[in-house]
Amino acid sequence: MASAPRIARAIPALEAIAQFSSDVVVGLSQPGQKELPSKYLYDEVGSALFDVICVLPEYGLSRAGMRLLERHAADIVERMPGPVVVAELGSGSGQKTRWLLEALARRQRVNYYPIDISSSALFRCQLELSHIDLVSIVGFESAYLDGLREVAARRREGEQLLVLFLGSTIGNFDRPAGDQFLREVRSTLCEGDALLLATDLEKPVPALTLAYDDSAGVTAAFNKNLLARINRELDGDFDLTKFDHVARYDESERRVEMHLRSKVWQRITIRKAGFRFYLREGETIWTESSHKYDPQEVIQMGERAGYRCAGQWIDGEWPFAQTLFFAG
Ligand code: AVI
């Protein structure tokens, strides 16, 4: 049996619910396009639905990311000769990380620090990876940058920090916010530390829209669960049958957008937030953007944030890149 996960907690539950309530009210009070922050898609139910999305035939991202690490993990870790400690932003299930940890553990003991706001994700990650010899795991239940600062403070003299951002979650930030995030990560690193960044690449629009509007309706359920979560946690009265899931590609922004479109004029009350609002027929709530990149653009993004590229690997089946940067 796996040992109990070692998790450092940061956000008390009451504070988290107050923040959720305030973000929901701000997003749904917008005078123009209403929106909800995509990070709230990932409660217990949303995270389980996302795991199903990752095995859907239409959604090639996760398999591409995994293939690249399975094939190139040895090459990636060889580019970092010193003793390496590993921090991962968003542990997910830990499956992709296994290839890298195994490659590193062939030459050294590895301290691995997954950082995630979800304790259940950290738990699953621990279960997935706890069997690898010479790897010890301490999870941080916190926001990415807070956790990363704590990990950086624990690193010993002479150790190189490798930061993994493998879920292609950078694509869920607007481009300027993505740049800013990379700069903030850079500011926690020392020269010579490394960042492995996964990004989904541009591809034909029909493949992209299918990836976000699959035939089994799993992505639709994932999207609508955000309204169900508001009902559960904030005592809202969203009727999910009155919404359609919409996935559309914006050519000029090069991103897939997920929306929830109201089928009718409706009034919604969210009791715990003390908030009531109206939706017109056809009006949408924007729940997520997923930006797609050109491989060279990814390298330039890193360079703008203070890194130099140490290698880039691209999947041939589903255009997707793993890019290794050194803090320079
Ligand atoms: C987590 N993130 C990279 C996923 C994506 O593809 O943007 C989230 C997702 N949304 C719908 N399907 C998957």
Side-chain angles (χ1 to χ4, degrees):
M1 206 169 98
S3 55
R6 295 166 65 202
I7 295 174
R9 282 213 165 71
I11 315 167
L14 269 178
E15 229 176 83
I17 209 89
Q19 187 63 54
F20 180 37
S21 173
S22 132
D23 289 346
V24 164
V25 171
V26 169
L28 297 178
S29 312
Q30 297 295 316
Q33 174 69 62
K34 294 183 174 48
E35 55 190 39
L36 289 168
S38 61
K39 64 180 176 184
Y40 294 118
L41 290 162
Y42 302 91
D43 67 343
E44 194 91 35
V45 177
S47 299
L49 288 167
F50 180 64
D51 285 347
V52 180
I53 289 175
C54 291
V55 296
L56 291 171
E58 294 97 332
Y59 191 78
L61 285 79
S62 310
R63 283 183 296 278
M66 192 97 82
R67 267 194 303 273
L68 286 170
L69 294 179
E70 185 178 359
R71 284 182 196 155
H72 303 291
D75 186 10
I76 293 169
V77 305
E78 233 170 64
R79 294 178 194 221
M80 288 169 290
V84 173
V85 280
V86 181
E88 180 163 16
L89 308 179
S91 64
S93 69
Q95 270 175 306
K96 301 184 206 82
T97 321
R98 177 211 299 214
W99 303 107
L100 289 164
L101 295 180
E102 285 179 348
L104 271 172
R106 272 180 224 122
R107 70 166 203 230
Q108 62 164 94
R109 275 189 180 281
V110 189
N111 286 323
Y112 167 58
Y113 302 103
I115 302 164
D116 207 299
I117 43 170
S118 154
S119 57
S120 61
L122 288 170
F123 184 67
R124 282 181 301 139
C125 160
Q126 166 102 356
L127 283 183
E128 176 77 25
L129 300 172
S130 57
H131 67 280
I132 310 175
D133 285 342
L134 300 183
V135 174
S136 73
I137 308 175
V138 177
F140 281 85
E141 188 183 335
S142 73
Y144 295 155
L145 293 168
D146 295 339
L148 191 55
R149 277 181 213 109
E150 293 206 40
V151 172
R154 286 179 173 218
R155 157 249 298 269
R156 293 194 211 99
E157 178 92 28
E159 283 178 333
Q160 194 179 10
L161 181 57
L162 166 63
V163 179
L164 306 176
F165 201 24
L166 299 182
S168 72
T169 311
I170 190 85
N172 299 129
F173 294 104
D174 283 348
R175 285 176 209 275
D179 275 14
Q180 175 61 20
F181 182 75
L182 292 184
R183 271 195 295 273
E184 280 171 346
V185 171
R186 172 65 189 88
S187 72
T188 66
L189 303 181
C190 300
E191 202 164 325
D193 285 341
L195 167 69
L196 185 64
L197 180 69
T199 43
D200 195 25
L201 302 178
E202 291 171 90
K203 51 188 67 63
V205 174
L208 276 176
T209 40
L210 261 183
Y212 292 84
D213 194 5
D214 61 278
S215 52
V218 183
T219 312
F222 170 69
N223 197 8
K224 287 183 190 177
N225 174 60
L226 183 42
L227 304 183
R229 178 179 183 178
I230 295 173
N231 289 351
R232 285 191 293 269
E233 295 183 19
L234 301 176
D235 199 9
D237 66 358
F238 282 104
D239 176 349
L240 272 58
T241 65
K242 292 188 177 148
F243 289 87
D244 282 324
H245 164 70
V246 179
R248 58 184 181 225
Y249 190 68
D250 183 318
E251 300 265 1
S252 62
E253 298 288 347
R254 294 179 294 132
R255 67 183 179 211
V256 180
E257 291 181 5
M258 288 203 318
H259 291 253
L260 289 160
R261 186 170 52 215
S262 177
K263 293 185 192 174
V264 292
W265 182 96
Q266 50 182 320
R267 184 182 71 190
I268 291 120
T269 306
I270 304 176
R271 279 184 212 88
K272 280 196 186 152
F275 178 64
R276 174 171 290 173
F277 74 106
Y278 302 86
L279 282 168
R280 297 184 308 275
E281 181 184 342
E283 187 175 358
T284 71
I285 302 172
W286 185 8
T287 51
E288 187 189 62
S289 299
S290 195
H291 294 79
K292 306 302 165 189
Y293 301 90
D294 169 73
Q296 203 52 35
E297 178 189 4
V298 177
I299 295 174
Q300 286 161 358
M301 237 162 81
E303 287 172 350
R304 280 197 300 275
Y307 304 84
R308 66 192 156 80
C309 179
Q312 187 175 61
W313 297 264
I314 294 175
D315 190 62
E317 217 174 292
W318 177 277
F320 189 96
Q322 299 284 7
T323 309
L324 181 68
F325 292 105
F326 286 145

